[in-house]
Amino acid sequence: MYMYIETSLPRRQGDKAYFISPRYDAAPNGKCFKFWYHMYGRHIGKLNIYVKAGPALGAMVWNETGNQGNFWLHGKAPVKISTRFQVGNQRD
């Protein structure tokens, strides 16, 4: 799955972006959700990654806040769940 969210103009401070992955098979022995992220600038907010097994988001498995520099970083979120699941971020 590929996703790119641009946060420069015309975006404004306080705007939010949301994503949800396709459904994945259960991972009772654990899996690693790997992704790249770029959080640069003085008004950068936060990125939270959650596991979703039902209608609501479940446990947070990864998060980052604020300016992380002007380069792409590799994120890894551990997932251990006994049912089919999705990965997404929180809607405030």
Side-chain angles (χ1 to χ4, degrees), residues 2 4 19 42 48 54 60 70 72 74 76 78-79 82 84:
Y2 295 95
Y4 176 81
F19 73 90
R42 63 185 172 120
N48 298 329
M60 183 189 304
N70 190 13
W72 287 91
H74 193 211
K76 298 177 183 177
V79 176
S82 59
R84 288 179 52 86

Side-chain angles (χ1 to χ4, degrees), residues 25-83:
D25 290 334
N29 297 320
K31 288 187 178 181
C32 186
F33 178 72
K34 299 176 186 179
F35 57 97
W36 290 90
Y37 66 100
H38 185 275
M39 296 172 69
Y40 175 65
R42 63 185 172 120
H43 296 296
I44 292 297
K46 61 185 174 182
L47 175 59
N48 298 329
I49 308 292
Y50 294 82
V51 171
K52 178 181 178 191
L57 289 176
M60 183 189 304
V61 293
W62 186 92
N63 73 317
E64 190 65 81
T65 302
N67 182 3
Q68 300 302 309
N70 190 13
F71 39 84
W72 287 91
L73 298 166
H74 193 211
K76 298 177 183 177
V79 176
K80 188 172 184 178
I81 188 166
S82 59
T83 61

Side-chain angles (χ1 to χ4, degrees), residues 3-15:
M3 179 180 65
Y4 176 81
I5 300 168
E6 177 57 54
T7 60
S8 300
L9 287 173
R11 301 289 164 241
R12 296 171 296 171
Q13 187 171 353
D15 283 355

